[in-house]
Amino acid sequence: MAKMNMLQAINSALAIAMEENENACVFGEDVGAFGGVFRATSGLQEKFGKDRVFNTPLVEQGILGFANGLAAQGTLAIAEIQFADYIFPAFDQIVNETAKFRFRSGNEFNVGNLVIRTPYGGGIHGGLYHSQSPEAYFAHTPGLKLVFPRNAYQAKGLLAASLESDDPVIFFEPKRLYRASVGEVPEDKYVIPLGKAEIVKTGTDVTLLAWGAQVEMLEKAAEMAEKDGISCEVIDLRTVLPWDVDTVCQSVVKTGRLVVSQEAPLTGGFASEIAATVQQECFLHLESPIERVCGLDTPYPLAHEKEYMADHLKVYEAIKRSMNY
């Protein structure tokens, strides 16, 4: 084990993958000698050369078009979109090409060996264009996997699994935790299965569900609730697409209550999909309405970021509403 922050864990997973697979390439804006805007790819170009770790033009649609072609020819393509807010110019390539490549060719071609890394979320005073959480746009697209680590250990294991996936993966990295999340991480390779949620803390009274950086908010809220005698079960979804319906529903059947939280705005968010599925599967076991604790339905504000974010206090209030219903 070694002490690593999330950036170092991601860098380690990338280095191991490139050592194992000589066809693996890392590319994106400033990922070469500069090591990326957050330094996630620091040292990789020096170690593996400019043919395998290289900068691209500042054109996200081009990055993903290039990535699709590279992956279709058998390369392990590891593309970085510098901020998730800037993934939208590449939306057509991802939704209409990446996700459908296998289907449109009758599996003659596929881009399963494509991983798109991108930092997402708020908490860094990034304002409108460096704080968004766009997972719901892609969760509506069959053919993709969407993965969210919550800490350094999860980041390395989930990225290793993503790099071995038979399906294209968008790997959303919570940039607020890049350096804040520090923990024991094995130096060797390990894999955390995709599509499987983790019960971070067991409880009996209410289920708390989130993914990525938002899990930290649940843990803080659960500590507050425990002082009131409320036992919270905390679940990290880890993979938004496909999501682990069984683990979540088994928990809700036990507790009878669900609070689901996301950084993204309320309307049309993935929390709504979870709420709809849980009420369908667990309706007769629910003791109170499902609570959604989300960002506000407004562009991400710089000056009022603290008020906008779905923090632990808002989650705690939702727990109390659920329990007092």
Side-chain angles (χ1 to χ4, degrees), residues 58-96:
L58 306 185
V59 51
E60 285 77 13
Q61 185 178 18
I63 293 172
L64 263 298
F66 174 74
N68 284 330
L70 205 61
Q73 300 302 314
T75 297
L76 175 55
I78 309 167
E80 178 181 303
I81 298 297
Q82 197 169 79
F83 288 89
D85 311 61
Y86 298 146
I87 203 168
F88 298 112
F91 193 78
D92 176 62
Q93 283 294 323
I94 297 170
V95 170
N96 282 327

Side-chain angles (χ1 to χ4, degrees), residues 278-297:
V278 170
Q279 73 85 23
Q280 177 179 301
E281 298 295 325
C282 309
F283 183 75
L284 296 179
H285 298 274
L286 288 172
E287 301 289 345
S288 67
I290 297 168
E291 292 278 349
R292 293 174 294 160
V293 184
C294 310
L296 305 179
D297 285 336

Side-chain angles (χ1 to χ4, degrees), residues 38-288:
F38 293 104
R39 305 299 186 270
T41 56
S42 180
L44 294 182
Q45 188 178 82
E46 291 90 330
K47 187 171 185 179
F48 299 104
K50 294 182 179 180
D51 290 339
R52 298 182 62 196
V53 182
F54 48 88
N55 296 333
T56 65
L58 306 185
V59 51
E60 285 77 13
Q61 185 178 18
I63 293 172
L64 263 298
F66 174 74
N68 284 330
L70 205 61
Q73 300 302 314
T75 297
L76 175 55
I78 309 167
E80 178 181 303
I81 298 297
Q82 197 169 79
F83 288 89
D85 311 61
Y86 298 146
I87 203 168
F88 298 112
F91 193 78
D92 176 62
Q93 283 294 323
I94 297 170
V95 170
N96 282 327
E97 303 297 341
T98 304
K100 298 175 174 63
F101 216 92
R102 175 183 286 120
F103 300 90
R104 71 184 298 187
S105 71
N107 205 33
E108 288 294 319
F109 301 97
N110 73 81
V111 293
N113 47 335
L114 167 59
V115 175
I116 305 163
R117 293 180 41 254
T118 189
Y120 84 97
I124 66 164
H125 307 292
L128 296 169
Y129 299 114
H130 299 82
S131 305
Q132 297 177 76
S133 301
E135 64 269 20
Y137 295 99
F138 297 100
H140 196 62
T141 306
L144 300 175
K145 289 183 178 177
L146 311 180
V147 181
F148 290 77
R150 75 174 186 275
N151 58 31
Y153 179 86
Q154 298 286 325
K156 183 172 180 178
L158 289 170
L159 183 53
S162 299
L163 293 165
E164 293 183 350
S165 174
D166 292 331
D167 299 295
V169 176
I170 307 180
F171 192 81
F172 290 94
E173 301 167 4
K175 55 182 175 287
R176 179 172 65 82
L177 301 181
Y178 265 156
R179 292 181 175 84
S181 175
V182 179
E184 296 287 333
V185 178
E187 295 188 48
D188 295 332
K189 178 182 176 180
Y190 62 95
V191 172
I192 297 174
L194 304 183
K196 182 64 179 174
E198 179 186 15
I199 299 176
V200 179
K201 176 186 175 299
T202 59
T204 57
D205 294 329
V206 59
T207 299
L208 310 182
L209 176 65
W211 49 93
Q214 204 61 18
V215 177
E216 180 186 25
M217 302 301 180
L218 300 190
E219 292 178 303
K220 289 180 178 179
E223 289 180 11
M224 295 176 65
E226 293 285 345
K227 295 176 182 178
D228 297 330
I230 301 171
S231 175
C232 300
E233 181 144 295
V234 178
I235 299 179
D236 176 8
L237 200 57
R238 299 199 292 198
T239 305
V240 164
L241 192 67
W243 69 283
D244 188 352
V245 178
D246 289 343
T247 295
V248 174
C249 287
Q250 286 168 14
S251 176
V252 173
V253 167
K254 177 176 68 172
T255 65
R257 298 174 175 87
L258 173 64
V259 176
V260 56
S261 185
Q262 66 188 25
E263 282 196 45
L266 174 71
T267 302
F270 197 72
S272 302
E273 171 63 28
I274 292 170
T277 300
V278 170
Q279 73 85 23
Q280 177 179 301
E281 298 295 325
C282 309
F283 183 75
L284 296 179
H285 298 274
L286 288 172
E287 301 289 345
S288 67

